[in-house]
Amino acid sequence: EVQLVESGGGLVQPGGSLRLSCAASGFTFSRSSMHWVRQAPGKGLVWVSRINTDGSTSYADSVKGRFTISRDNAKNTLYLQMNSLRAEDTAVYYCVTDASVGGYWGQGTLVTVSS
Amino acid sequence: QTVVTQEPSFSVSPGGTVTLTCGLTSDSVSTSYYPFWCQQTPGQAPRTLIYNTNTRSSGVPDRFSGSILGNKAALTITGAQADDESDYYCALYLGSGISVFGGGTKLTVL
């Protein structure tokens, strides 16, 4: 059974940093591209970032230069380093496996950016 | 800027058939955009229904199907049930590793 467990969310002040983690199990993590998707309260889904199996990365324009996606295949863990956080980054952040392995979603972790 | 379009809302009668669509403001949607559909009920994480246009994710009943209709991607629900009442999101792959979600369709079953 595929499991994705996000952690690391919380309350942070504008301009602050946070690192999210996603622990993966039940599939061959190293062979799957992985994504982060976020959802602001009461709003729709927004794709944030992708990391491929070779470590290459892509970002939405809204987070480019502020967020960094990475992975540790030895630990089966996906990360999202978030710097220079803004109020508009407040959202539930989901990690998602690539569609080619079924597009499984974690339960999400809430990030709140507020003073 | 490329925008992915979806109907904001739709309604269907129990047992009926409904087709939700996913378009682009700048182009026709084809299989090259690898259309992706997911379902989200309030307070829950999304669940993938369809990927690569028409491949059902594990455990998804066959009354959910994906296709290309005209210049849009489409999600068809045949024999709608009360628990299909959810928000449905499509996403398209725009290339260079970038994907974009549509604004979602709120489906009411009544």
Side-chain angles (χ1 to χ4, degrees), chain B:
Chain B
Q1 182 181 357
T2 299
V3 175
V4 177
T5 61
Q6 294 185 249
E7 299 88 356
S9 62
F10 229 114
S11 63
V12 61
S13 300
T17 295
V18 62
T19 297
L20 311 181
T21 68
C22 176
L24 278 171
T25 54
S26 57
D27 197 5
S28 296
V29 177
S30 67
T31 56
S32 300
Y33 285 95
Y34 300 95
F36 171 98
W37 292 90
C38 63
Q39 175 192 46
Q40 187 180 35
T41 53
Q44 299 296 314
R47 164 200 183 198
T48 296
L49 297 175
I50 300 285
Y51 60 93
N52 291 353
T53 305
N54 55 14
T55 302
R56 270 185 296 277
S57 190
S58 176
V60 174
D62 60 7
R63 56 197 185 77
F64 291 92
S65 62
S67 63
I68 300 291
L69 286 181
N71 62 349
K72 295 183 178 182
L75 173 70
T76 299
I77 307 172
T78 304
Q81 301 178 0
D83 60 3
D84 294 336
E85 188 162 291
S86 303
D87 295 325
Y88 292 85
Y89 295 92
C90 73
L92 300 176
Y93 177 67
L94 302 187
S96 301
I98 306 294
S99 295
V100 177
F101 279 91
T105 296
K106 183 178 184 63
L107 180 67
T108 301
V109 180
L110 52 73

Side-chain angles (χ1 to χ4, degrees), chain A residues 19 22-25 29-30 71-79:
Chain A
R19 188 176 84 154
C22 171
S25 61
F29 178 76
S30 61
R71 63 191 302 161
D72 185 335
N73 290 336
K75 295 183 178 180
N76 288 345
T77 302
L78 176 72
Y79 300 102

Side-chain angles (χ1 to χ4, degrees), chain A residues 9-18 66-67 82-90 111-115:
Chain A
L11 175 65
V12 61
Q13 292 189 339
S17 298
L18 214 54
R66 300 188 299 123
F67 289 12
M82 303 186 296
N83 299 331
S84 302
L85 283 161
R86 308 166 180 167
E88 54 265 35
D89 295 318
T90 293
V111 172
T112 303
V113 185
S114 174
S115 54

